[in-house]
Amino acid sequence: MKIDELNIEDLKFGVLSFGEYQTPYVESDFHMLTRTIQAFRDYLDSIEKVEQMLENSKKLKTGNLVANCIGENESLISFKDDYFQFYTASISYDFCLKLHFEIWLKLLPKLIAFMENENKKSVTYKF
């Protein structure tokens, strides 16, 4: 699936909890985008990790990072022809999402802002 445009304001943000573990939850009208973000949540479950992903994504876009944002063979975020390409074997071998770079580079700071706001609260919100 290829996503050229996405209204970031229409995304829903929340928190998933698995016992003591918490991770952000992002939901959109694009089912494949939602599944992809959830598949990569291990790399997005802390502000530091999201900041690192943002930094690596910028480097990848400018050609200053080799091939993959996260350095694993089973889960890939690569960049080609203005699109970040997400692949993870945990979903399926033929599952690939192509997301225009502007969407991804707007989504990550919005996710950081959400997480910073949640960290200031004493109550955890869940879907």
Side-chain angles (χ1 to χ4, degrees), residues 7-15 24-29 34 37-38 107 110-111 114 127:
N7 186 350
I8 298 290
E9 301 307 315
D10 289 342
L11 296 178
K12 295 177 185 174
F13 291 82
V15 176
Y25 179 88
V26 181
E27 187 176 87
S28 77
D29 291 334
T34 300
I37 293 172
Q38 297 318 312
L107 175 60
K110 188 168 174 93
L111 184 56
F114 168 79
F127 280 94

Side-chain angles (χ1 to χ4, degrees), residues 55-69:
E55 187 64 30
N56 286 346
S57 296
K58 289 177 181 176
K59 287 179 182 176
L60 191 62
K61 181 182 174 293
T62 58
N64 294 317
L65 188 70
V66 178
N68 184 9
C69 274

Side-chain angles (χ1 to χ4, degrees), residues 6 8 10 19 22 24 38 42 46 58 69 73 75 79 90-92 97 105-106 108-109 113-114 122:
L6 178 71
I8 298 290
D10 289 342
Q22 294 181 339
Q38 297 318 312
D42 290 346
S46 73
K58 289 177 181 176
C69 274
N73 292 330
S75 298
F79 185 78
S90 66
I91 296 179
S92 74
L97 177 77
L105 296 181
K106 286 179 184 174
L108 291 176
F114 168 79
S122 59

Side-chain angles (χ1 to χ4, degrees), residues 2-126:
K2 187 185 229 183
I3 300 177
D4 296 306
E5 293 182 29
L6 178 71
N7 186 350
I8 298 290
E9 301 307 315
D10 289 342
L11 296 178
K12 295 177 185 174
F13 291 82
V15 176
L16 287 177
S17 295
F18 305 95
E20 296 297 313
Y21 178 74
Q22 294 181 339
T23 184
Y25 179 88
V26 181
E27 187 176 87
S28 77
D29 291 334
F30 291 96
H31 180 64
M32 262 181 97
L33 175 60
T34 300
R35 287 184 69 200
T36 300
I37 293 172
Q38 297 318 312
F40 283 88
R41 70 174 159 237
D42 290 346
Y43 311 104
L44 301 169
D45 60 5
S46 73
I47 292 172
E48 293 77 18
K49 287 183 184 178
V50 181
E51 287 173 340
Q52 186 63 50
M53 181 70 78
L54 181 59
E55 187 64 30
N56 286 346
S57 296
K58 289 177 181 176
K59 287 179 182 176
L60 191 62
K61 181 182 174 293
T62 58
N64 294 317
L65 188 70
V66 178
N68 184 9
C69 274
I70 54 179
E72 292 189 10
N73 292 330
E74 296 80 16
S75 298
L76 303 173
I77 301 177
S78 57
F79 185 78
K80 184 179 179 184
D81 299 329
D82 288 341
Y83 287 86
F84 284 98
Q85 300 179 50
F86 301 80
Y87 166 81
T88 176
S90 66
I91 296 179
S92 74
Y93 286 101
D94 59 352
F95 187 96
C96 183
L97 177 77
K98 293 183 180 182
L99 193 61
H100 195 268
F101 76 89
E102 289 181 347
I103 298 170
W104 183 239
L105 296 181
K106 286 179 184 174
L107 175 60
L108 291 176
K110 188 168 174 93
L111 184 56
I112 291 170
F114 168 79
M115 292 168 78
E116 288 173 339
N117 188 46
E118 287 297 304
N119 283 343
K120 294 176 187 171
K121 297 178 183 176
S122 59
V123 178
T124 300
Y125 293 86
K126 303 176 189 177

